[in-house]
Amino acid sequence: MKPAIADGHAVTIHYRLTLDDGSIADESFGSDPLVYLHGAQNIVPGLERQLEGKKVGDTCDCEVPANEGYGEYDPTAEQTVPKTAFPPNVELQVGMSFQTRGRNGQPQPVWIRALDGDNVVVSANHPLAGQRLNFKIEVVDVRKATAEEKKHGHVHGPGGHHH
Ligand code: ZN
């Protein structure tokens, strides 16, 4: 008898993430399932909460609002810079991501939200910030995590971390 999903369990799921415009942002159906450690914030909080108590074979159409997903969109995390700030040999495209330096010199991942004439709007928000996340989930496996996995905060072995 496999345990129900609870904190400290290694959980294997298949998922499909659909956005409100109908586009599929990501999915595991047809390839390797996702393995995560429940209760360790490996997945967005709204999904983790809704999967609590589910068992192997259970399915879920889990709707996760932005504030329990990748956060609300923060317009102050957006910046408009001239195209000339980029190397001339780079063909700029919406959605392109790259690394810049934050205020304190720390590496900061950003992506291009819009191209506007001679200007480029770059965003430090998560690309899915502000979006409602519509997950279709199938629970494939649940097992107790090992002490080492709990200590590391992630799952080891097939589908997990190798180190
Ligand atoms: Zn580890």
Side-chain angles (χ1 to χ4, degrees):
M1 185 74 188
K2 305 268 189 179
I5 296 177
D7 286 357
H9 288 164
V11 181
T12 306
I13 55 171
H14 268 303
Y15 68 94
R16 178 180 301 128
L17 169 56
T18 309
L19 304 178
D20 281 353
D21 68 3
S23 64
I24 295 173
D26 197 11
E27 82 168 310
S28 71
F29 289 99
S31 60
D32 290 334
L34 172 75
V35 187
Y36 77 94
L37 178 59
H38 196 84
Q41 294 161 356
N42 291 177
I43 60 174
V44 294
L47 182 60
E48 190 164 62
R49 189 171 55 73
Q50 292 180 57
L51 289 179
E52 184 93 28
K54 295 256 187 293
K55 297 191 168 108
V56 172
D58 281 355
T59 58
C60 168
D61 285 307
C62 298
E63 237 178 54
V64 177
N67 64 357
E68 284 190 291
Y70 292 105
E72 301 289 356
Y73 195 85
D74 176 9
T76 66
E78 210 172 84
Q79 208 187 342
T80 301
V81 295
K83 266 188 184 159
T84 52
F86 294 84
N89 57 335
V90 176
E91 200 189 320
L92 302 174
Q93 283 174 350
V94 172
M96 188 182 271
S97 58
F98 51 97
Q99 191 102 206
T100 181
R101 296 262 163 214
R103 243 169 242 129
N104 304 315
Q106 78 280 20
Q108 165 83 65
V110 296
W111 54 283
I112 296 179
R113 181 167 156 82
L115 297 169
D116 179 17
D118 291 333
N119 291 319
V120 181
V121 182
V122 297
S123 171
N125 284 285
H126 188 281
L128 294 177
Q131 300 251 29
R132 178 169 51 186
L133 311 173
N134 307 294
F135 286 102
K136 183 180 178 54
I137 302 287
E138 185 187 323
V139 181
V140 177
D141 193 29
V142 184
R143 65 165 169 85
K144 287 204 163 124
T146 65
E148 192 188 44
E149 286 172 324
K150 286 191 210 170
K151 198 166 141 225
H152 286 198
H154 56 229
V155 173
H156 295 157
H161 284 243
H162 299 274
H163 58 113

